[in-house]
Amino acid sequence: EVQLQASGGGLVQAGGSLRLSCAASGFSSGDYAIGWFRRTPGREREGISCISSNDGSTYYSTSVKGRFSISSDNAQNTVTVYLQMNNLKPEDTAVYYCASTSFSCFRYHDYLQYNHWGQGTLVTVSS
């Protein structure tokens, strides 16, 4: 059973940085991708980044490109995916989730293709 756990959220001033972590386990075989989403009240869930296990390719939404960076650290039976968030803005305030899919990152922004989700971690950016 694939399990994911997101952590690292907190309160930061605009212009600051945070690093989110997603500890993922239970991948038995085959390729997978791990994506990051965020959600704020009144807005749709937004897919913001993804990393593919087979070649390490990364994807970013236009809203975070150039400010956020995704990476992964593979250990035995566990994958940790990081989302380094720099130059944070108040509009980045949201609950952030990581999720996994057996598909690639090609449609990383489509939450329907993800079948395992971690609990959210709250990021609050003050102005």
Side-chain angles (χ1 to χ4, degrees):
E1 177 75 19
V2 174
Q3 294 183 324
L4 303 102
Q5 184 169 358
S7 62
L11 174 64
V12 63
Q13 289 188 331
S17 298
L18 278 176
R19 188 177 78 162
L20 304 184
S21 299
C22 176
S25 61
F27 298 109
S28 56
S29 63
D31 296 331
Y32 58 88
I34 293 180
W36 283 98
F37 285 76
R38 64 186 182 185
R39 176 177 257 175
T40 56
R43 298 182 64 179
E44 291 188 1
R45 189 169 0 190
E46 179 188 12
I48 58 173
S49 188
C50 185
I51 187 164
S52 181
S53 71
N54 63 346
D55 61 1
S57 55
T58 58
Y59 298 77
Y60 300 95
S61 66
T62 55
S63 61
V64 306
K65 193 170 186 178
R67 300 187 297 122
F68 291 12
S69 176
I70 191 170
S71 62
S72 68
D73 182 6
N74 295 357
Q76 187 175 6
N77 298 325
T78 299
V79 175
T80 303
V81 174
Y82 301 101
L83 186 68
Q84 177 66 43
M85 307 186 296
N86 298 326
N87 190 21
L88 283 161
K89 304 175 181 181
E91 53 263 42
D92 294 318
T93 295
V95 178
Y96 286 71
Y97 301 85
C98 59
S100 69
T101 175
S102 55
F103 298 103
S104 70
C105 287
F106 179 68
R107 291 185 56 81
Y108 73 92
H109 56 279
D110 182 1
Y111 72 90
L112 292 175
Q113 76 166 7
Y114 293 83
N115 44 17
H116 294 96
W117 291 81
Q119 87 291 356
T121 185
L122 176 63
V123 172
T124 303
V125 184
S126 63
S127 58

